[in-house]
Amino acid sequence: MSALALPALELDPSSTHALSAPDFTTSPEQIGTVAIDRRLNGPRRSANGGFAAGSIAQHIDAETTTVVLHRPIPLGRELPVVGDGSGGALVFDRRRLLARARPGRLVDAAMPAAPTYDEALAARSRYPLAGVRHALADCVVCGTERVDGMHVTPGPLAGGTRLAAPWSVDTHVSHAGVADYPAVWAALDCPSYPAHALEERILCLLGTITGHVERRPRVGEHLVLHSWTREQHRRRYETSVAMVDESGGVVARADATWIALRHPRATALLARLG
């Protein structure tokens, strides 16, 4: 494909997981495009982070991929994806760097025992923002009022330090009887939200996600998402999430970095709207 003339990279200094800028010796080539359907929003006017990351990850030749989201991904627009010269990819919107991806690796740590599907249903019923209008209320993945949504709405498990959500794959996010690859990433996204932040109604945005998909689940299959927070460093939360099937087999996993918004009015937004 034809090469693109690219601007200097603009990195988001708030991203603690930003990758070093590639040293291009020649103009990088466009390797594809990313276009997120308008209904696949997270915040009302931009893409759900999981759908965006999963769509970008498809351009990386790796079993496990790390995607850094520097800026919100716009909806309904075709965005160029270019190689970074070292096996990774960059996504641009005109002259702005939106995201980058590269082969990644999951954190080598023990995974807690997964809850049952019934326990995940019960956790969803405890979602603290049900019926509340807030910045992510219309998210296609976790929004409780979305008729066309995935309803992967996380709630606290007993003890309150972990979250869980059920997922039954439907035809909105599948083809030929199996879930779309970006939809698997999307299902991992919202349940990876930090349990403490959800409890305190602190608004966080997904910064980095490293995902690994063992298989794409079938339509109608009952799945459980469960997550735990590994670390918290001031505004940054490091979490992990797993998707398991009814036999307890791992379908997909992810590690995520969530950033609480800095501005006091923004971080208190969910609490105020409650």
Side-chain angles (χ1 to χ4, degrees), residues 79-202:
L79 305 168
V81 181
V82 302
D84 70 357
S86 60
L90 309 170
V91 180
F92 283 89
D93 180 17
R94 300 183 179 93
R95 298 184 59 83
R96 292 168 64 86
L97 176 68
L98 300 182
R100 52 170 59 200
R102 61 168 171 82
R105 183 173 64 182
L106 292 170
V107 172
D108 184 14
M111 184 172 65
T116 66
Y117 189 76
D118 286 343
E119 288 170 334
L121 285 170
R124 182 173 67 182
S125 72
R126 293 190 288 269
Y127 177 61
L129 300 176
V132 175
R133 295 299 302 171
H134 58 87
L136 301 175
D138 296 318
C139 174
V140 70
V141 177
C142 65
T144 56
E145 305 301 320
R146 284 289 296 265
V147 175
D148 63 341
M150 293 169 62
H151 305 297
V152 188
T153 308
L157 289 166
T161 60
R162 291 197 292 147
L163 299 180
W167 184 32
S168 181
V169 182
D170 65 26
T171 57
H172 285 111
V173 291
S174 63
H175 289 88
V178 296
D180 297 334
Y181 182 78
V184 180
W185 279 66
L188 293 165
D189 171 12
C190 296
S192 73
Y193 202 88
H196 171 263
L198 183 61
E199 178 185 5
E200 297 298 323
R201 301 188 178 193
I202 297 170

Side-chain angles (χ1 to χ4, degrees), residues 216-256:
R216 291 188 295 155
R218 301 179 303 277
V219 170
E221 188 172 355
H222 284 180
L223 303 155
V224 168
L225 287 299
H226 67 110
S227 70
W228 56 101
T229 298
R230 302 188 318 276
E231 300 176 44
Q232 180 184 354
H233 304 280
R234 303 177 77 174
R235 295 188 301 119
R236 189 178 86 239
Y237 297 84
E238 304 288 351
T239 69
S240 292
V241 60
M243 179 188 300
V244 300
D245 59 24
E246 291 180 284
S247 68
V250 175
V251 175
R253 289 186 59 188
D255 297 325

Side-chain angles (χ1 to χ4, degrees), residues 32-122:
T33 61
V34 166
I36 311 297
D37 188 275
R38 290 188 181 279
R39 75 177 187 85
L40 302 179
N41 65 284
R44 189 170 301 173
R45 294 180 179 85
S46 58
N48 167 268
F51 268 112
S55 298
I56 297 165
Q58 292 181 110
H59 296 276
I60 303 300
D61 184 15
E63 292 185 352
T64 305
T65 302
T66 295
V67 180
V68 182
L69 300 172
H70 293 288
R71 293 180 172 83
I73 306 298
L75 297 165
R77 287 164 54 187
E78 192 169 277
L79 305 168
V81 181
V82 302
D84 70 357
S86 60
L90 309 170
V91 180
F92 283 89
D93 180 17
R94 300 183 179 93
R95 298 184 59 83
R96 292 168 64 86
L97 176 68
L98 300 182
R100 52 170 59 200
R102 61 168 171 82
R105 183 173 64 182
L106 292 170
V107 172
D108 184 14
M111 184 172 65
T116 66
Y117 189 76
D118 286 343
E119 288 170 334
L121 285 170

